Amino acid sequence: DAKTTQPPSMDCAEGRAANLPCNHSTISGNEYVYWYRQIHSQGPQYIIHGLKNNETNEMASLIITEDRKSSTLILPHATLRDTAVYYCIVPPGEGGGNKLTFGTGTQLKVEL
Amino acid sequence: DTAVSQTPKYLVTQMGNDKSIKCEQNLGHDTMYWYKQDSKKFLKIMFSYNNKELIINETVPNRFSPKSPDKAHLNLHINSLELGDSAVYFCASSLWTGGAGNTIYFGEGSWLTVV
Protein backbone atom coordinates (compact mmCIF):
# COMPACT_ATOMS: atom_id res chain seq x y z
CA ASP A 1 0.00 0.00 0.00
CA ALA A 2 1.13 3.53 -0.64
CA LYS A 3 1.60 4.94 2.84
CA THR A 4 -0.13 8.21 3.57
CA THR A 5 0.82 10.89 6.07
CA GLN A 6 -1.64 13.40 7.46
CA PRO A 7 -1.45 15.95 10.26
CA PRO A 8 -3.17 14.60 13.37
CA SER A 9 -5.41 17.60 13.85
CA MET A 10 -6.52 20.88 12.31
CA ASP A 11 -8.86 23.68 13.29
CA CYS A 12 -11.03 25.75 10.98
CA ALA A 13 -13.44 28.61 11.50
CA GLU A 14 -16.98 28.01 10.35
CA GLY A 15 -17.60 29.40 6.88
CA ARG A 16 -13.95 29.34 5.95
CA ALA A 17 -12.29 26.84 3.65
CA ALA A 18 -10.72 23.81 5.29
CA ASN A 19 -7.62 22.56 3.48
CA LEU A 20 -6.53 19.10 4.58
CA PRO A 21 -3.15 17.92 3.27
CA CYS A 22 -1.99 14.38 2.62
CA ASN A 23 1.41 13.06 1.59
CA HIS A 24 1.60 9.86 -0.44
CA SER A 25 5.09 9.96 -1.88
CA THR A 26 5.22 6.22 -2.68
CA ILE A 27 2.04 6.19 -4.75
CA SER A 28 2.18 4.15 -7.95
CA GLY A 29 1.09 5.43 -11.33
CA ASN A 30 -2.22 3.58 -11.36
CA GLU A 31 -3.22 4.08 -7.75
CA TYR A 32 -6.04 6.41 -6.81
CA VAL A 33 -6.34 8.73 -3.84
CA TYR A 34 -9.55 8.38 -1.84
CA TRP A 35 -10.88 10.55 0.94
CA TYR A 36 -13.32 9.39 3.56
CA ARG A 37 -14.44 10.98 6.79
CA GLN A 38 -15.85 9.64 10.04
CA ILE A 39 -18.08 11.79 12.15
CA HIS A 40 -18.05 10.79 15.80
CA SER A 41 -19.96 7.55 16.47
CA GLN A 42 -20.88 7.11 12.82
CA GLY A 43 -19.62 4.93 9.99
CA PRO A 44 -17.06 6.29 7.54
CA GLN A 45 -18.44 8.34 4.65
CA TYR A 46 -16.99 8.57 1.17
CA ILE A 47 -16.06 12.08 0.09
CA ILE A 48 -14.12 12.04 -3.17
CA HIS A 49 -11.40 10.26 -5.12
CA GLY A 50 -8.97 11.08 -7.92
CA LEU A 51 -6.05 9.83 -9.99
CA LYS A 52 -4.26 12.75 -11.62
CA ASN A 53 -6.67 15.56 -12.32
CA ASN A 54 -8.28 17.76 -9.76
CA GLU A 55 -11.77 16.66 -8.87
CA THR A 56 -14.81 18.42 -7.45
CA ASN A 57 -18.17 17.21 -6.24
CA GLU A 58 -20.93 18.55 -4.04
CA MET A 59 -18.96 17.82 -0.89
CA ALA A 60 -15.41 18.85 -1.63
CA SER A 61 -12.57 19.45 -4.05
CA LEU A 62 -9.46 17.32 -4.41
CA ILE A 63 -6.24 18.88 -5.59
CA ILE A 64 -3.49 16.43 -6.57
CA THR A 65 0.02 17.70 -7.24
CA GLU A 66 1.53 17.10 -10.66
CA ASP A 67 3.99 14.54 -9.29
CA ARG A 68 1.07 12.91 -7.42
CA LYS A 69 3.08 12.72 -4.22
CA SER A 70 0.62 14.78 -2.26
CA SER A 71 -2.95 15.99 -2.34
CA THR A 72 -5.24 18.44 -0.57
CA LEU A 73 -8.87 17.99 0.29
CA ILE A 74 -10.74 21.28 0.30
CA LEU A 75 -14.03 21.85 2.06
CA PRO A 76 -14.93 25.25 0.59
CA HIS A 77 -17.23 26.50 3.36
CA ALA A 78 -16.76 24.39 6.45
CA THR A 79 -19.66 24.01 8.86
CA LEU A 80 -19.84 22.60 12.37
CA ARG A 81 -21.19 19.39 10.85
CA ASP A 82 -17.89 18.91 9.03
CA THR A 83 -16.13 18.23 12.33
CA ALA A 84 -14.83 14.71 11.82
CA VAL A 85 -11.76 12.57 11.25
CA TYR A 86 -10.69 12.77 7.62
CA TYR A 87 -8.85 9.85 6.07
CA CYS A 88 -6.66 9.99 3.00
CA ILE A 89 -6.34 6.48 1.55
CA VAL A 90 -4.41 5.02 -1.35
CA PRO A 91 -5.62 1.44 -1.91
CA PRO A 92 -3.24 -0.93 -3.67
CA GLY A 93 -3.43 -1.66 -7.35
CA GLU A 94 -5.29 -0.10 -10.23
CA GLY A 95 -8.38 1.55 -8.85
CA GLY A 96 -8.08 -0.63 -5.80
CA GLY A 97 -11.03 0.85 -4.05
CA ASN A 98 -12.20 -2.31 -2.37
CA LYS A 99 -9.48 -2.76 0.22
CA LEU A 100 -9.34 0.41 2.21
CA THR A 101 -6.69 0.68 4.91
CA PHE A 102 -7.49 3.53 7.23
CA GLY A 103 -4.67 5.31 9.03
CA THR A 104 -5.05 7.73 11.89
CA GLY A 105 -6.41 10.52 9.73
CA THR A 106 -6.78 14.21 10.54
CA GLN A 107 -9.18 15.33 13.23
CA LEU A 108 -10.79 18.46 11.82
CA LYS A 109 -12.51 20.68 14.32
CA VAL A 110 -14.73 23.40 12.91
CA GLU A 111 -15.45 26.16 15.36
CA LEU A 112 -17.64 29.24 15.48
CA ASP B 1 -34.18 4.43 3.93
CA THR B 2 -31.02 3.09 5.54
CA ALA B 3 -28.61 1.93 2.83
CA VAL B 4 -26.50 -0.35 5.02
CA SER B 5 -28.12 -1.42 8.24
CA GLN B 6 -26.65 -3.58 10.95
CA THR B 7 -28.06 -5.01 14.16
CA PRO B 8 -27.62 -4.85 17.03
CA LYS B 9 -26.15 -1.38 17.44
CA TYR B 10 -24.97 -2.17 20.95
CA LEU B 11 -24.06 -5.54 22.38
CA VAL B 12 -22.66 -6.33 25.81
CA THR B 13 -21.83 -9.96 26.45
CA GLN B 14 -19.67 -12.16 28.61
CA MET B 15 -16.43 -13.85 27.67
CA GLY B 16 -16.91 -17.22 26.10
CA ASN B 17 -20.30 -16.46 24.60
CA ASP B 18 -21.17 -16.75 20.92
CA LYS B 19 -22.81 -13.78 19.23
CA SER B 20 -23.86 -12.65 15.78
CA ILE B 21 -24.12 -9.28 14.09
CA LYS B 22 -26.43 -9.01 11.12
CA CYS B 23 -26.02 -6.72 8.13
CA GLU B 24 -28.27 -5.89 5.22
CA GLN B 25 -27.84 -3.51 2.30
CA ASN B 26 -30.62 -2.27 0.04
CA LEU B 27 -28.36 -0.66 -2.55
CA GLY B 28 -28.28 -3.61 -4.92
CA HIS B 29 -24.52 -3.93 -4.44
CA ASP B 30 -22.61 -7.11 -5.21
CA THR B 31 -19.84 -6.70 -2.62
CA MET B 32 -20.08 -6.54 1.14
CA TYR B 33 -17.48 -6.12 3.87
CA TRP B 34 -16.83 -6.32 7.56
CA TYR B 35 -14.44 -3.81 9.13
CA LYS B 36 -13.28 -3.63 12.73
CA GLN B 37 -12.41 -0.43 14.58
CA ASP B 38 -10.46 -1.03 17.76
CA SER B 39 -10.04 1.09 20.85
CA LYS B 40 -7.25 3.05 19.20
CA LYS B 41 -9.66 3.95 16.40
CA PHE B 42 -7.79 2.01 13.72
CA LEU B 43 -10.23 0.73 11.11
CA LYS B 44 -9.22 -2.53 9.43
CA ILE B 45 -10.88 -4.76 6.88
CA MET B 46 -11.76 -8.25 8.06
CA PHE B 47 -13.71 -9.86 5.25
CA SER B 48 -15.13 -9.12 1.85
CA TYR B 49 -17.74 -11.05 -0.07
CA ASN B 50 -18.69 -10.64 -3.71
CA ASN B 51 -22.07 -12.09 -4.62
CA LYS B 52 -21.90 -14.52 -1.69
CA GLU B 53 -18.33 -15.59 -2.42
CA LEU B 54 -15.50 -14.84 0.02
CA ILE B 55 -12.83 -12.75 -1.72
CA ILE B 56 -10.93 -11.09 1.11
CA ASN B 57 -10.08 -12.83 4.36
CA GLU B 58 -7.57 -10.89 6.37
CA THR B 59 -5.69 -12.37 9.31
CA VAL B 60 -8.69 -12.90 11.52
CA PRO B 61 -9.07 -15.62 14.18
CA ASN B 62 -11.11 -18.64 13.16
CA ARG B 63 -13.59 -17.68 15.85
CA PHE B 64 -14.89 -15.09 13.40
CA SER B 65 -17.04 -16.56 10.66
CA PRO B 66 -18.87 -14.47 8.09
CA LYS B 67 -21.92 -15.85 6.37
CA SER B 68 -23.62 -14.46 3.29
CA PRO B 69 -27.02 -16.07 2.62
CA ASP B 70 -27.52 -13.77 -0.36
CA LYS B 71 -25.72 -10.79 -1.80
CA ALA B 72 -27.80 -8.35 0.22
CA HIS B 73 -26.84 -9.86 3.57
CA LEU B 74 -23.54 -10.49 5.31
CA ASN B 75 -23.66 -11.65 8.90
CA LEU B 76 -20.75 -11.96 11.29
CA HIS B 77 -20.71 -14.74 13.84
CA ILE B 78 -18.17 -14.72 16.65
CA ASN B 79 -17.50 -17.80 18.78
CA SER B 80 -15.95 -17.91 22.23
CA LEU B 81 -15.79 -14.15 22.63
CA GLU B 82 -12.67 -12.69 24.22
CA LEU B 83 -12.05 -9.34 25.90
CA GLY B 84 -9.94 -8.27 22.93
CA ASP B 85 -12.92 -8.64 20.61
CA SER B 86 -14.43 -5.51 22.12
CA ALA B 87 -14.60 -3.05 19.25
CA VAL B 88 -16.91 -1.38 16.80
CA TYR B 89 -17.74 -3.56 13.82
CA PHE B 90 -18.77 -1.88 10.60
CA CYS B 91 -20.56 -3.53 7.77
CA ALA B 92 -20.15 -1.99 4.33
CA SER B 93 -21.03 -2.55 0.70
CA SER B 94 -19.94 -1.45 -2.75
CA LEU B 95 -21.15 -1.91 -6.27
CA TRP B 96 -18.22 -4.09 -7.29
CA THR B 97 -14.98 -5.44 -5.91
CA GLY B 98 -12.45 -2.99 -7.22
CA GLY B 99 -11.54 -0.47 -9.81
CA ALA B 100 -11.77 3.24 -9.89
CA GLY B 101 -14.68 4.89 -8.21
CA ASN B 102 -15.64 1.87 -6.16
CA THR B 103 -17.33 3.85 -3.43
CA ILE B 104 -17.81 1.91 -0.23
CA TYR B 105 -20.87 2.66 1.88
CA PHE B 106 -20.63 1.93 5.58
CA GLY B 107 -23.26 1.10 8.14
CA GLU B 108 -23.51 2.90 11.47
CA GLY B 109 -21.54 0.29 13.36
CA SER B 110 -22.17 -2.29 16.06
CA TRP B 111 -20.55 -1.57 19.43
CA LEU B 112 -19.47 -4.88 20.95
CA THR B 113 -18.32 -4.96 24.57
CA VAL B 114 -17.07 -8.20 26.03
CA VAL B 115 -16.97 -8.32 29.84
Side-chain angles (χ1 to χ4, degrees), chain A residues 32 34 36 38 41-44 46 49 87 94-100 102 104, chain B residues 33 35 37 42-43 45 56 58 90 97 99-104 106-108 111:
Chain A
Y32 282 68
Y34 287 78
Y36 280 74
Q38 188 173 22
S41 297
Q42 295 184 20
Y46 165 82
H49 74 282
Y87 297 97
E94 186 173 354
N98 67 318
K99 191 174 180 179
L100 303 179
F102 289 77
T104 54
Chain B
Y33 313 80
Y35 278 78
Q37 188 165 37
F42 287 113
L43 193 61
I45 190 169
I56 293 177
E58 293 296 287
F90 289 99
T97 59
N102 186 37
T103 303
I104 297 180
F106 287 82
E108 291 301 302
W111 271 251

Side-chain angles (χ1 to χ4, degrees), chain B residues 33-88:
Chain B
Y33 313 80
W34 278 108
Y35 278 78
K36 177 183 179 180
Q37 188 165 37
D38 60 24
S39 58
K40 295 183 179 179
K41 302 298 184 182
F42 287 113
L43 193 61
K44 296 180 181 179
I45 190 169
M46 300 173 67
F47 302 102
S48 173
Y49 270 73
N50 182 58
N51 207 6
K52 302 193 297 177
E53 181 182 346
L54 181 66
I55 56 172
I56 293 177
N57 185 351
E58 293 296 287
T59 307
V60 178
N62 291 336
R63 300 181 294 102
F64 291 78
S65 55
K67 285 186 172 54
S68 181
D70 54 62
K71 72 175 190 178
H73 296 83
L74 181 61
N75 304 322
L76 182 65
H77 189 74
I78 314 172
N79 290 326
S80 303
L81 278 156
E82 301 177 357
L83 294 177
D85 297 331
S86 296
V88 185

